[in-house]
Amino acid sequence: MTSPRGLTALHLRQGHPDFLDLPWHVPLEKWTPEVCSRLVEVPRGLSRHTVVFVSYSAGIYALKEMPVSVGQREYDVLRGLEERHLPAVTAVGLARVKAPGEPGDELGVLVTQYLASSLPYRVLFMNKGLERYRERLLDAMASLLVRLHLGGFFWGDCSLSNVLFRRDAGELQAYAVDAETSELHPKLSDGQRELDLLIMEENITGGLADVAAMVELPPTLDVYETAPSIRQRYERLWSETQKEISISPSESYRIHERIRALNELGFSVGEVDLVASGDGSQLRMRTIVTDREYHRHQLHNLTGVVAEERQAALLLNEVRELKATLSRELNRSVPLSVAAFRWLDERFRATLNQLQRELGPAADEAELYCQVLEHKWFLSERAKRDVGLKVAVKGYVALRREQPALALLRSASVPLPLDAETSGPLETPRGAAPTGTAPRE
């Protein structure tokens, strides 16, 4: 007699559900709301494996069925990415399920955490309200590859379907999703980077060809030119991180200029190498770039607020503006830390508390506040004067109530209704970005 299918082992990280109430005796492809009451339907990208999403009070989780060895490999790589602070989905656990008829009579189920407020690339291409993000998607892809390569990550299967995009103060940040074929190294060779870029170009061209067969692509996204464009952006950004400059011993200020230039691009600089030339008249300077989260680190150190890189840069600008205003009013220099404390208490938290009373809890507080700032810019430009934060908040609340399908305000554990993403053209002013969907795993 064949042994029944069922859960045999479950490795989980702390802080998440135990998932023991899920119907492990049923193959994932046969899960329905009748079989699993926690099942949620969310828009997703393509996957070579069966993927389902389940909802708990702690959030939404993706379950992906695959051979045990493949699941263990991907779990380990995702954990490694997290330890290196690289942008990827978070691995939560790995289940082993007895599955008669499968190799070894066993399957693995990788559990990852849903990335709130994220967008699969197909939504960006198919939804008429998201045209303004398409060009930024290319920059986000290039930036993601640079960050991963700097961190020693060889992807091996980079494609649009293996990436999630998250709004970041009018831009996009990209996150790696699929890591089945990936490897972590102390440092990548030029040959490894070149191979990864070739795979990226081939996969993205093929993926866009598939989309073009279903829907007309915008003129700016040519099937055969998009991937080379991402590579060109990658090469420019990579070159900037690896650039060496020559300076004379008396030009120490150029060291700080170089670091500031990289910081403005969002890169954190860990070390600076200075090597003397043969006659000692010149120094060769090279900076060691660690990640592209400079502004995130600075904002968190000052305020404790967790934000995306561009969100953090925008919020830090407001903190600096408040510092200048306080210094002028008090007629003395005010430390940035003091301005940050005032900003956090009087602007950031006060605004978010008011929005929560008016519209409900937010999935991404930093993005929400940035949208209010963008709406303030929009109203001020129209009025030809600074309308102030209170007016911007009032106007933003009115906009959200007029266009509920675009609202960002929702619980991070509740998926967006499917019809909100497919309800037709969406028109928004600058900074009022449509909301996202769920990840592809």
Side-chain angles (χ1 to χ4, degrees), residues 104 112 119 193 221-222 232 242 251 313 320 368 375 383 426 428-429:
T112 56
L119 295 152
R193 291 194 306 106
L221 283 172
D222 183 89
Q232 291 169 5
Q242 305 299 306
E251 294 179 319
R320 294 189 187 99
L368 178 63
H375 193 61
L426 308 176
T428 64

Side-chain angles (χ1 to χ4, degrees), residues 50 92 124 167 320-321 336 374 410 426:
T50 301
V92 171
L124 292 166
R167 288 174 307 278
R320 294 189 187 99
E321 290 172 3
L336 188 62
E374 290 286 347
R410 58 185 176 88
L426 308 176

Side-chain angles (χ1 to χ4, degrees), residues 347-365 368-369 372 393 396-397 400-401 408-411:
R347 296 194 183 183
F348 187 74
R349 290 300 174 201
T351 297
L352 291 175
N353 288 340
Q354 180 179 347
L355 289 171
Q356 182 170 347
R357 289 193 300 270
E358 298 278 0
L359 299 170
D364 186 340
E365 291 185 341
L368 178 63
Y369 188 81
V372 171
V393 171
Y396 184 83
V397 169
R400 298 296 80 180
R401 287 175 173 166
L408 277 173
L409 295 171
R410 58 185 176 88
S411 168

Side-chain angles (χ1 to χ4, degrees), residues 20 56 155 284 301 372 415:
L20 294 177
Y56 286 83
W155 202 330
R284 284 189 297 109
N301 289 339
V372 171

Side-chain angles (χ1 to χ4, degrees), residues 247-253 255 280-283:
I247 63 175
S248 69
S250 62
E251 294 179 319
S252 60
Y253 67 91
I255 299 175
S281 61
Q282 292 286 313
L283 296 172

